Amino acid sequence: MLVEHRGIRPTIHPDAYVAVTAVVIGDVEIASGARILHGAVITAEDGRVHIGENSIVMENALVRGRSGHEVRIGNSVMVGPHAHVNGSQVDDEAFIATGAALFPGSTIGVGAEVRINGVVQVNTCVAAGQVVPIGWIAVGDPAQVFSPDRHDEIWAIQRDLDFPGTVYGVSRDVSMRELMCLQSEYYGAHRNDRVVTTAT
């Protein structure tokens, strides 16, 4: 399904493929040879999304562009099933495995791998060729990689990466009630979305 959002409809190369059950929303560009498989959601909330040549977004993955954190997926990239690419830059030939989560401001270098259920925190830079092992967490610039049981070491780096400011544009002292009111207003822009039959 193709959806116009904020007055912009997706741009899809004639050689690309978007499955009938995938959803592509707003300012999204899908290059030649790219494949968007069933159940995937590619959404440009208020930040652009570009998916490069011969890149594949597998079933039920989410790719979300946001203000200040556009998504740029390079050429020949694999985004696995149920992966979450949110405001991240992913360079050519990277491998983002099943269930991986990339947060806003993160960058994934050429040929890097984020393996099954790996996490790349906000404003974290995974170097070219670096591997985030299964279920591990990358944090910092340059990325340090930790097993999930090392929470205190992860938090010692993560607390200065400004998760609430990067993801939501608010300070850490904003209450959940206030934050959800802001997010409700933000996602309310979808009330004006329009399903379209053709890309631009």
Side-chain angles (χ1 to χ4, degrees), residues 107-152:
T107 59
I108 310 299
V110 173
E113 296 183 22
V114 182
R115 294 187 175 160
I116 297 168
N117 295 328
V119 175
V120 180
Q121 278 293 347
V122 297
N123 303 317
T124 291
C125 295
V126 175
Q130 186 173 5
V131 173
V132 178
I134 293 171
W136 283 41
I137 297 106
V139 60
D141 181 7
Q144 296 181 55
V145 181
F146 298 94
S147 60
D149 60 322
R150 295 170 63 189
H151 179 267
D152 291 342

Side-chain angles (χ1 to χ4, degrees), residues 47-129:
R48 171 163 219 281
V49 174
H50 171 84
I51 298 175
E53 293 180 3
N54 300 315
S55 287
I56 299 172
V57 178
M58 299 291 287
E59 294 87 354
N60 301 309
L62 170 65
V63 177
R64 177 187 292 130
R66 52 193 319 127
S67 178
H69 298 287
E70 297 180 351
V71 171
R72 184 162 194 84
I73 293 175
N75 299 326
S76 303
V77 170
M78 169 64 76
V79 176
H82 300 280
H84 175 193
V85 179
N86 183 3
S88 182
Q89 305 292 308
V90 181
D91 289 341
D92 296 350
E93 300 175 28
F95 179 78
I96 311 302
T98 300
L102 314 182
F103 285 93
S106 63
T107 59
I108 310 299
V110 173
E113 296 183 22
V114 182
R115 294 187 175 160
I116 297 168
N117 295 328
V119 175
V120 180
Q121 278 293 347
V122 297
N123 303 317
T124 291
C125 295
V126 175

Side-chain angles (χ1 to χ4, degrees), residues 148-167:
D149 60 322
R150 295 170 63 189
H151 179 267
D152 291 342
E153 293 168 84
I154 295 166
W155 181 243
I157 300 168
Q158 183 183 349
R159 71 176 162 229
D160 295 327
L161 296 179
D162 190 22
F163 185 94
T166 301
V167 176

Side-chain angles (χ1 to χ4, degrees), residues 175-186:
S175 71
M176 193 64 172
R177 183 174 300 278
E178 183 180 353
L179 177 58
M180 287 304 101
C181 284
L182 292 168
Q183 287 296 286
S184 175
E185 181 179 335
Y186 173 76

